[in-house]
Amino acid sequence: MTSVRFVTRTRLFAAAVVLLSLPALTACGGPGDAAAAGARAAPADDPVAAVRKVDSVAALLPAGVREAGTLRVGSSIGSPPGAYYPNGPDKAPAGQDIDLTDAVAKVLGVRIRRQDASFESILPALGSGKYDVGTGNFGVTTERLKTIDFVTYINDGQGFAVRKGDPGLKTKVTDLTQLCGLTIGTGAGTTFEATLTARRGVCAKAGRKPYDVKVYSENGASLTALQQGRIDVIMSTINGLRHQAAQPASRTAFLGEYHRLDVGFAFRKGSPLTKAFQAAVNQLIKDGTYARILGKWGTSASAIETSRINPPEHR
């Protein structure tokens, strides 16, 4: 992490703490930002501690990786339950993605060199060779499969949330025409942004006012915008929005699932690492570690039965 990125994240964290202390201004910081995530300590149990190297799985790694003993992981640290900073950006991250990555590394007998990176920068950086692996709740889509290889580890997807008690949108979103005339907040470089952009014309076809899309690089920024009434609805991950709505301070209501997606570790196209990662995930499923990690983070409903390489996008 560069000193500039560290200073920036430190300032964002400090600003979020200030926002939390001003409920009249923002209603609350909410679990989508670093401060609110830190207000809720990470679960104490550590299912990764007992994981050991499995020689038959480690043998699937390229010889050069086995000799080096390290993998460079570009990691997007956002909000729970995926990956967040429970104790501030200068401390270790926690979350489902962190535990699964660490567990896979232990099965493979390698160390992780985790580098914090913005979500939208990770996939392009895989192609340039900056990282060996990318994590950040990356959904498997037809478009991404053109340039990225995936090894799946969970089934998550797209959903919507609104302010609790908002008299506007109240029902599950099954068609984007339900959003016509509203302002939607979402993350930069995500499948959510891509979906909303690709379907922007649905309202005009229905003879209705188009929806507006506001894109944010920080999860906390979109939640603050929702609480301040600058956006009407958030589109984000199913598990993230469920977790957020379960925190009373967030004052959000989850509107249900819109589109399910497999989520996976991301690699440059043709990476020799995919078979080893797939075998490692399946080993964790087999020995029960996988179920314990998902149970720890409240995401058991998104469990998969087996890891796959480059499955087709859900339709």
Side-chain angles (χ1 to χ4, degrees), residues 7-289:
V7 170
T8 299
R9 286 194 172 276
T10 301
R11 287 175 177 169
L12 283 169
F13 182 81
V17 172
V18 172
L19 290 175
L20 278 174
S21 68
L22 298 172
L25 175 65
T26 65
C28 65
D33 60 26
R40 182 177 182 273
D45 53 317
D46 186 7
V48 180
V51 178
R52 297 291 181 266
K53 179 182 178 182
V54 178
D55 290 338
S56 60
V57 178
L60 297 174
L61 286 171
V65 174
R66 294 199 305 273
E67 292 169 7
T70 60
L71 286 171
R72 299 163 301 161
V73 178
S75 185
S76 173
I77 311 297
S79 58
Y84 71 115
Y85 288 111
N87 301 302
D90 58 337
K91 305 295 184 181
Q96 167 196 276
D97 286 2
I98 303 300
D99 281 353
L100 285 171
T101 304
D102 289 348
V104 165
K106 292 184 76 171
V107 170
L108 295 174
V110 297
R111 297 182 304 279
I112 292 296
R113 289 172 50 197
R114 184 175 282 111
Q115 300 177 47
D116 187 356
S118 64
F119 179 91
E120 63 271 25
S121 72
I122 293 175
L123 297 187
L126 291 170
S128 70
K130 183 176 182 179
Y131 309 123
D132 301 307
V133 189
T135 64
N137 210 80
F138 290 110
V140 181
T141 68
T142 301
E143 186 63 27
R144 285 177 175 169
L145 284 170
K146 294 176 182 177
T147 57
I148 299 294
D149 282 340
F150 289 96
V151 172
T152 62
Y153 61 83
I154 201 168
N155 182 265
D156 196 346
Q158 304 172 335
F160 293 92
V162 294
R163 290 184 299 275
K164 187 174 289 187
D166 193 317
L169 194 62
K170 292 183 179 180
T171 61
K172 177 179 178 179
V173 176
T174 58
D175 190 296
L176 293 186
T177 56
Q178 293 171 251
L179 304 176
C180 294
L182 301 180
T183 301
I184 309 158
T186 196
T190 61
T191 62
F192 322 116
E193 181 186 12
T195 295
L196 293 169
T197 300
R199 302 290 308 281
R200 194 182 289 273
V202 296
C203 294
K205 290 181 180 178
R208 301 177 63 184
K209 182 180 178 180
Y211 54 72
D212 188 27
V213 180
K214 301 292 186 184
V215 178
Y216 300 91
S217 295
E218 297 286 338
N219 290 312
S222 60
L223 182 59
T224 299
L226 181 70
Q227 298 294 16
Q228 292 180 340
R230 289 184 281 115
I231 60 175
D232 302 298
V233 59
I234 290 176
M235 187 179 189
S236 189
T237 66
I238 292 168
N239 286 332
L241 292 176
R242 276 180 174 151
H243 185 280
Q244 180 176 274
Q247 314 309 310
S250 75
R251 293 176 58 196
T252 61
F254 177 56
L255 291 184
E257 303 175 7
Y258 175 69
H259 179 50
R260 277 275 175 178
L261 285 172
D262 287 308
V263 170
F265 294 105
F267 306 83
R268 66 174 174 81
K269 204 68 182 173
S271 170
L273 298 173
T274 55
K275 289 185 178 180
F277 266 71
Q278 180 191 33
V281 174
N282 285 331
Q283 172 64 32
L284 295 171
I285 293 172
K286 179 181 177 181
D287 68 23
T289 302

